[in-house]
Amino acid sequence: MEDAFARSVPEVLDFFGVNPTKGLTDIQVTSHARIYGSNVLPQEESTPFWKLVLKQFDDLLVKILIAAAVVSFLLALVNGETGLTAFLEPSVILMILAANAAVGVITETNAEKALEELRAYQADVATVMRNGCFSILPATELVPGDIVEVSVGCKIPADLRMIEVLSDHLRVDQAILTGESSSVEKELESMVTSNAVYQDKTNILFSGTVVVAGRARAVVVGVGSNTAMGSIRDSMLKTEDEATPLKRKLDEFGTFLAKVIAGICILVWIVNIGHFRDPIHGGFFQGAVHYFKIAVALAVAAIPEGLPAVVTTCLALGTKRMARLNAIVRSLPSVETLGCTTVICSDKTGTLTTNMMSVSKICVLHSVNHGVAASEYSVSGTTYAPEGSIYDHSGMQLDFPAQFPCLLHIAMCSALCNESVIQYNPDKRNYEKIGESTEVALRILAEKVGLPGFDSMPSALNMLTKHERASYCNHYWENQFKKISLLEFSRDRKMMSVLCSRKQIEIMFSKGAPESVLSKCTSILCNNDGSTVPLTPNIRAELESRFSSFAGKDTLRCLALALKRMPTGHQNITLHDEKDLTFIGLVGMLDPPREEVRNAILSCMTAGIRVMVVTGDNKTTAESLCRKIGAFDHLDDFVGRSFTASEFEELPASQKTSALQHMILFTRVEPSHKKMLVEALQHQNEVVAMTGDGVNDAPALKKADIGIAMGSGTAVAKSASDMVLADDNFATIVAAVAEGRAIYNNTKQFIRYMISSNIGEVVCIFVAAVLGIPDTLVPVQLLWVNLVTDGLPATAIGFNKQDSDVMKAKPRKVNEAVVTGWLFFRYLVIGAYVGLATVAGFIWWFIYSDTGPKIPYTELMNFDSCLTRQTTYPCSIFSDRHPSTVAMTVLVVVEMFNALNNLSENQSLMVIPPWSNLWLVGSIGVTMLLHCLILYVQPLSLLFSVVPLTWDEWTTVLYLSFPVIIIDEILKFFSRNSIGMKLNLRLRSADLLPKREVRDK
């Protein structure tokens, strides 16, 4: 029954055919269960494991690598190769792909846990009336039409429509669903509000929320998926995970690279068709197979096999650094996504605020000796911990607040006129509440005021254990006074009173709405001497003025406290006793903003990131918070900046677009609105980070580009998120964004390093094929270079230091290419030199080396006809392993120098020296050590078809390799000047990763 909130109680009962005094019959229960289903959130079928595994291989680059591995293996068999050499290359490729697939499967499995966590918020049991009798049944057996009774501490077992209030009032904490900072009073009257949101449905008790005050009966109107909690589950199921900006760029890169590889491979094969019949191959078919093998080697050289592993490793390193900042990353790709975040949609309650109501201001009458003189005090401490101080109007801390009569009596009243409990949880290491948040705030105030008569009391209290300290002062007053009678809070009176006795003196303490309490006061307590004076019109006007300031300007939730001396022996209080009260003071409380939030928001503005506050709370309260945290500092008015959900939905489509571009505050929202907001922003090409801690935030957290949950939040929110803030600190997000930007910069550096290295390998093979000289490198040597000599330095580049101005730059665009036109030109130049230097090392051995044959260049170009003509040298020299060893070593060493070039995109090595990243220096050392091992250790040298090099050969290697540093320094110089920018504009069409104007969905 979706419109139960708009119908009267008799209409709802008639709809389900239930008698409120007897409940459903067994026959009705069976019938309703068949019609409406059970009260269980259905379990969604998880993706089969084999599908998850196959999904990881659904990538173009991966498919090319698999094809290359298979073809390599088949060609080895065709050539009669057996043993390790036939299986090495395909085996290594498949092992890398399997490792990356494992990481992907683990990530996707974690994402499905959010739906399971949602079940934890379902109640276990319910008190149900059936066949005229109440019984306690499993909540899963509830059906629509059941009459359920709820009371304090009860978790609502289904969506219920109120039918009878059994106490003066009923209040429910529904923060996990709506994000409201305080509990909500429920009522019986039907609602006529159009487009009602959850907050408007004050006659509905929502599944999973908790009763904090009162007792009532209600009829079940929604079970299982047809509850508010069920709608959240459905919303999460409909949300598809978005690819991160880096993932989209790498996918584009893969498509682009695949086309280039295919084109080059076909070109190499076609160029050499004339050589298919060369005698050295033994026939046309064998020649075709030989050059096809070269094309496959070219594919292996062009594909950066280690790129997925290096990207994963770099992101993993970033997660460790972020964990030290209290940002726990659940999804590796989200680390990089932070770097391009343009909008942070922040939940208010518990994220920007502490979600712990606390007293922040107190107003009392100081004296009337020289006119009406009111005193205001401010209170520090924003959590449920009994830690904080009281300050006077000049900012001076009160050493012993309990010495002031009004503050002392405020503490008494706060402790005694109170039904809540505060306790310390050693497992969670924090203080927890039971009961109404406003009453808990008063309990904490009593602890901050302290006790009278003990000069050493503040230090003595600090010596208590946390468990003892939680309510020490409250327990003191409860032991001093015996509670005799209680008048509960009611909606019409808007106040609560308790009769207490101490040493045969009876005192009634009262608290409630200021207008209600003040109207029943005839005298007031003075703070300077503890005297009681008549409450004159002037004093009343002053108090009303302070109340208006507290409630209006400061948007505080205000309570007035009062007392009354009762006749001796009085044992009961009635409504008639609540008159002729003595006013003690006025307290203003709020869900306070976190102290560090203001600076964090200013940092976001500097970094070009818009912070949007999204909350279920009312507009006035939220606007006040935005003023406090600085979100509105740069604005003269809030027109076009602050909207409620209903106001936004009523806007025409064209105005909605404009509103989204300027909105800072979005209030009175429910879960569907949050998800809608994220989708709308994403359609405007914004990269959205959504923060939250409640069940209500889960769909939006899952939909956002990066969902950020609070560490103290619900398990559902954490499971649906990409990142969890261990310290619940909004400021941690700013530090995480800076880290994300640094990680992206480093990711760009090692991607460029690997691209330029692979370009070099392609140039090497292509030039050798075009010149008609023997194979420069064999496939297994290329694989070694790609995996080991490329992989280690590329990973170490991820340790490059964060730029000092990383948070002063605007967020990068989602469609920004990883490698732009000018950079692609730069790395083409570097890659071309790497390839040409490798070929030069190969040719040098044949023509100039003292250990080589010193043959003319023309003989080298005609090596394939050696067997058919007379030569002065044996044809076996073309099978010698020395030239390929020199070429391979040149390739390795030149790439080590190129790694040093990538310490910075544009800064010279004179500015950022190699030792600024010792990890890179170490990885270069390890790489060279590994290379020397395969050169000089016998089994490895045979496996990789290499031989030891002489000193002269090493000298030549260094001469050919070092110029790559000089070339890149020249290119960096151009980049730092206007030449690079001009060339970038000219080469924009040649961006390696093509730009897209429309966001990929």
Side-chain angles (χ1 to χ4, degrees):
M1 189 176 189
E2 295 182 357
D3 61 343
F5 67 92
R7 299 197 186 189
S8 66
V9 172
E11 283 181 307
V12 175
L13 295 173
D14 288 343
F15 181 87
F16 292 110
V18 59
N19 184 333
T21 61
K22 294 183 179 179
L24 296 175
T25 64
D26 291 339
I27 295 175
Q28 286 179 305
V29 170
T30 304
S31 173
H32 288 194
R34 185 175 62 253
I35 296 171
Y36 301 107
S38 61
N39 188 30
V40 177
L41 291 179
Q43 186 156 1
E44 189 66 19
E45 290 185 14
S46 58
T47 307
F49 181 77
W50 63 271
K51 280 189 177 181
L52 285 177
V53 174
L54 287 181
K55 183 180 176 182
Q56 310 311 313
F57 294 94
D58 187 19
D59 180 87
L60 192 56
L61 272 185
V62 171
K63 290 174 183 175
I64 293 174
L65 271 176
I66 293 174
V70 172
V71 171
S72 176
F73 176 66
L74 293 176
L75 289 177
L77 293 181
V78 168
N79 289 343
E81 297 178 21
T82 57
L84 187 61
T85 54
F87 289 97
L88 180 65
E89 185 176 326
S91 298
V92 172
I93 292 174
L94 294 176
M95 281 171 58
I96 293 170
L97 296 178
N100 283 298
V103 173
V105 169
I106 292 170
T107 301
E108 295 204 23
T109 303
N110 286 337
E112 295 185 355
K113 290 182 180 177
L115 296 172
E116 290 300 316
E117 299 284 3
L118 203 55
R119 300 172 185 274
Y121 292 89
Q122 292 181 288
D124 297 323
V125 296
T127 303
V128 189
M129 177 184 282
R130 287 182 181 172
N131 302 308
C133 299
F134 273 108
S135 58
I136 297 177
L137 299 176
T140 55
E141 295 182 11
L142 287 180
V143 296
D146 265 327
I147 303 299
V148 176
E149 188 167 301
V150 296
S151 57
V152 176
C154 172
K155 186 182 288 184
I156 306 299
D159 278 8
L160 313 176
R161 168 66 162 90
M162 296 266 290
I163 61 173
E164 183 181 2
V165 180
L166 302 176
S167 58
D168 289 332
H169 69 294
L170 184 85
R171 298 189 71 86
V172 177
D173 181 354
Q174 52 189 42
I176 65 163
L177 182 68
T178 63
E180 292 166 288
S181 57
S182 56
S183 60
V184 177
E185 186 166 352
K186 296 295 182 177
E187 53 192 25
L188 300 178
E189 289 77 11
S190 59
M191 309 297 299
V192 292
T193 308
S194 59
N195 298 323
V197 296
Y198 291 145
Q199 294 91 325
D200 298 326
K201 300 175 184 178
T202 54
N203 53 22
I204 300 292
L205 307 180
F206 296 106
S207 173
T209 60
V210 179
V211 178
V212 295
R215 181 166 156 259
R217 285 182 189 168
V219 58
V220 177
V221 295
V223 295
S225 296
N226 295 318
T227 62
M229 204 66 74
S231 67
I232 290 176
R233 169 192 170 276
D234 293 341
S235 180
M236 290 169 68
L237 283 174
K238 294 174 184 176
T239 302
E240 296 181 4
D241 293 331
E242 296 286 340
T244 67
L246 180 61
K247 177 69 167 63
R248 289 195 292 272
K249 285 299 157 193
L250 291 178
D251 289 344
E252 291 176 26
F253 170 56
T255 304
F256 172 77
L257 193 58
K259 295 174 182 177
V260 172
I261 291 169
I264 293 177
C265 290
I266 293 171
L267 181 62
V268 168
W269 198 69
I270 292 174
V271 164
N272 286 285
I273 285 179
H275 296 285
F276 286 3
R277 298 183 182 278
D278 289 348
I280 195 171
H281 304 309
F284 182 85
F285 176 74
Q286 286 82 358
V289 169
H290 173 78
Y291 285 104
F292 184 65
K293 191 173 181 180
I294 291 177
V296 171
L298 194 62
V300 173
I303 299 174
E305 291 92 339
L307 181 58
V310 173
V311 170
T312 302
T313 303
C314 185
L315 294 178
L317 292 172
T319 64
K320 284 190 174 183
R321 287 198 293 269
M322 293 173 77
R324 291 196 290 270
L325 301 172
N326 289 315
I328 312 302
V329 176
R330 297 183 66 255
S331 169
L332 284 183
S334 64
V335 177
E336 173 273 333
T337 308
L338 276 170
C340 56
T341 298
T342 58
V343 178
I344 298 176
C345 294
S346 177
D347 185 39
K348 179 184 79 72
T349 306
T351 306
L352 298 175
T353 68
T354 62
N355 194 21
M356 298 181 188
M357 192 71 75
S358 64
V359 174
S360 64
K361 283 192 175 183
I362 302 171
C363 178
V364 297
L365 179 67
H366 182 68
S367 73
V368 291
N369 295 334
H370 304 287
V372 178
S375 294
E376 282 191 14
Y377 296 95
S378 58
V379 185
S380 66
T382 57
T383 68
Y384 289 148
E387 301 162 357
S389 302
I390 299 177
Y391 302 85
D392 63 20
H393 66 282
S394 64
M396 293 293 292
Q397 180 178 337
L398 304 185
D399 293 328
F400 304 105
Q403 291 180 348
F404 295 85
C406 286
L407 294 182
L408 176 64
H409 285 82
I410 283 175
M412 288 183 194
C413 186
S414 296
L416 297 169
C417 196
N418 205 312
E419 296 293 298
S420 68
V421 176
I422 189 79
Q423 60 190 17
Y424 182 72
N425 186 327
D427 296 329
K428 296 182 180 179
R429 297 182 179 180
N430 61 12
Y431 292 89
E432 296 180 338
K433 65 159 185 160
I434 299 175
E436 187 64 63
S437 57
T438 53
E439 293 199 335
V440 174
L442 291 177
R443 283 221 181 271
I444 300 305
L445 175 62
E447 296 296 328
K448 293 174 182 177
V449 171
L451 301 177
F454 303 97
D455 289 344
S456 62
M457 182 51 65
S459 58
L461 289 174
N462 293 334
M463 295 173 67
L464 298 172
T465 65
K466 290 188 175 182
H467 179 73
E468 294 171 328
R469 182 68 187 91
S471 295
Y472 185 85
C473 297
N474 282 274
H475 288 161
Y476 173 84
W477 293 120
E478 288 169 347
N479 290 332
Q480 290 289 314
F481 290 86
K482 179 184 177 183
K483 290 186 182 182
I484 302 173
S485 179
L486 174 69
L487 272 179
E488 288 188 346
F489 179 93
S490 66
R491 289 183 59 196
D492 52 349
R493 287 165 43 246
K494 295 184 180 178
M495 62 186 294
M496 166 191 178
S497 297
V498 60
L499 178 63
C500 301
S501 174
R502 181 187 186 222
K503 297 178 181 180
Q504 297 183 349
I505 298 174
E506 277 69 45
I507 301 177
M508 182 179 73
F509 292 100
S510 301
K511 78 168 190 292
E515 63 272 21
S516 298
V517 173
L518 201 55
S519 67
K520 296 179 180 180
C521 291
T522 56
S523 59
I524 186 167
L525 187 68
C526 292
N527 199 38
N528 65 331
D529 57 6
S531 61
T532 300
V533 299
L535 185 59
T536 64
N538 287 342
I539 298 175
R540 192 181 297 274
E542 175 66 17
L543 292 175
E544 288 175 350
S545 173
R546 297 299 176 108
F547 165 58
S548 298
S549 176
F550 278 19
K553 178 183 175 184
D554 299 323
T555 61
L556 301 177
R557 185 172 183 179
C558 296
L559 287 177
L561 308 177
L563 58 80
K564 180 182 180 181
R565 179 78 176 266
M566 304 296 289
T568 303
H570 207 77
Q571 295 297 307
N572 195 24
I573 53 174
T574 65
L575 299 180
H576 298 293
D577 293 319
E578 289 182 329
K579 62 182 179 179
D580 300 327
L581 305 180
T582 299
F583 190 87
I584 306 172
L586 179 72
V587 297
M589 58 186 73
L590 78 164
D591 180 12
R594 295 180 182 275
E595 295 175 357
E596 57 283 333
V597 165
R598 172 176 276 273
N599 288 336
I601 286 185
L602 291 175
S603 296
C604 286
M605 291 178 179
T606 303
I609 300 171
R610 178 158 55 114
V611 177
M612 242 174 159
V613 180
V614 184
T615 178
D617 239 337
N618 67 68
K619 191 173 183 178
T620 305
T621 303
E623 286 181 348
S624 173
L625 173 80
C626 287
R627 287 192 200 97
K628 290 184 174 72
I629 62 176
F632 287 159
D633 276 2
H634 58 298
L635 303 175
D636 295 326
D637 60 64
F638 307 154
V639 177
R641 307 284 184 163
S642 175
F643 294 89
T644 64
S646 57
E647 288 172 349
F648 181 78
E649 287 182 330
E650 290 170 2
L651 291 175
S654 59
Q655 292 184 30
K656 280 184 179 179
T657 302
S658 175
L660 281 170
Q661 293 171 349
H662 301 95
M663 187 189 297
I664 292 177
L665 179 61
F666 197 33
T667 53
R668 302 299 282 174
V669 301
E670 55 184 42
S672 59
H673 293 131
K674 292 187 177 185
K675 184 181 174 186
M676 174 275 295
L677 177 65
V678 171
E679 290 175 338
L681 288 169
Q682 288 175 336
H683 278 107
Q684 292 190 351
N685 286 340
E686 303 282 8
V687 178
V688 184
M690 167 65 79
T691 75
D693 59 354
V695 172
N696 59 315
D697 299 316
L701 288 174
K702 190 174 181 185
K703 178 64 181 174
D705 293 286
I706 174 163
I708 305 172
M710 301 297 110
S712 63
T714 61
V716 180
K718 292 177 189 175
S719 296
S721 67
D722 302 296
M723 190 172 85
V724 178
L725 300 185
D727 58 357
D728 287 11
N729 192 339
F730 181 82
T732 302
I733 299 174
V734 180
V737 168
E739 190 62 44
R741 290 184 173 191
I743 289 169
Y744 179 74
N745 289 340
N746 291 342
T747 302
K748 283 200 302 184
Q749 288 302 104
F750 70 65
I751 287 176
R752 291 168 189 158
Y753 165 68
M754 297 188 86
I755 289 173
S756 61
S757 297
N758 283 60
I759 289 173
E761 294 163 19
V762 170
V763 168
C764 166
I765 293 174
F766 185 77
V767 168
V770 170
L771 293 178
I773 62 177
D775 297 344
T776 311
L777 300 168
V778 296
V780 72
Q781 291 173 337
L782 281 172
L783 199 61
W784 169 262
V785 172
N786 277 351
L787 296 182
V788 181
T789 58
D790 281 1
L792 286 176
T795 303
I797 288 170
F799 287 94
N800 283 350
K801 290 183 178 179
Q802 187 182 115
D803 292 341
S804 58
D805 60 347
V806 72
M807 284 301 285
K808 294 179 181 176
K810 301 300 180 187
R812 73 178 192 277
K813 300 295 183 183
V814 177
N815 59 358
E816 177 186 303
V818 176
V819 181
T820 57
W822 164 242
L823 284 172
F824 186 42
F825 171 77
R826 278 176 55 179
Y827 288 96
L828 270 178
V829 172
I830 296 296
Y833 180 78
V834 170
L836 292 174
T838 304
V839 174
F842 184 85
I843 295 173
W844 169 85
W845 187 84
F846 280 103
I847 300 176
Y848 300 108
S849 175
D850 292 335
T851 58
K854 293 189 176 181
I855 60 175
Y857 178 68
T858 53
E859 290 293 318
L860 183 60
M861 290 183 64
N862 294 304
F863 79 99
D864 48 4
S865 61
C866 178
L867 295 174
T868 61
R869 53 192 175 83
Q870 288 289 98
T871 59
T872 58
Y873 53 88
C875 291
S876 59
I877 63 165
F878 297 116
S879 301
D880 196 301
R881 290 182 293 174
H882 268 92
S884 63
T885 303
V886 172
M888 179 184 178
T889 305
V890 169
L891 183 59
V892 169
V893 175
V894 76
E895 289 186 5
M896 294 305 99
F897 283 124
N898 190 29
L900 294 176
N901 289 332
N902 286 276
L903 282 166
S904 173
E905 184 177 314
N906 295 317
Q907 290 298 324
S908 167
L909 281 172
M910 302 296 289
V911 176
I912 301 179
W915 50 87
S916 65
N917 186 346
L918 294 177
W919 286 100
L920 181 58
V921 175
S923 69
I924 291 173
V926 171
T927 300
M928 291 309 302
L929 178 62
L930 291 173
H931 186 68
C932 289
L933 280 176
I934 69 167
L935 291 183
Y936 297 103
V937 176
Q938 187 64 30
L940 293 175
S941 60
L942 291 174
L943 183 64
F944 289 96
S945 300
V946 293
V947 292
L949 296 183
T950 65
W951 177 248
D952 287 340
E953 288 167 339
W954 272 109
T955 303
T956 302
V957 166
L958 290 172
Y959 277 134
L960 289 171
S961 303
F962 185 75
V964 76
I965 294 277
I966 300 171
I967 294 171
D968 200 56
E969 285 293 311
I970 295 170
L971 292 171
K972 283 180 178 179
F973 173 79
F974 287 146
S975 292
R976 291 192 298 271
N977 294 279
S978 58
I979 297 174
M981 287 299 296
K982 292 176 181 176
L983 284 173
N984 192 42
L985 292 173
R986 293 174 187 170
L987 295 167
R988 180 63 61 86
S989 60
D991 282 0
L992 181 61
L993 302 186
K995 289 181 176 290
R996 292 188 178 180
E997 296 304 322
V998 181
R999 179 190 179 93
D1000 265 334
K1001 296 306 291 178

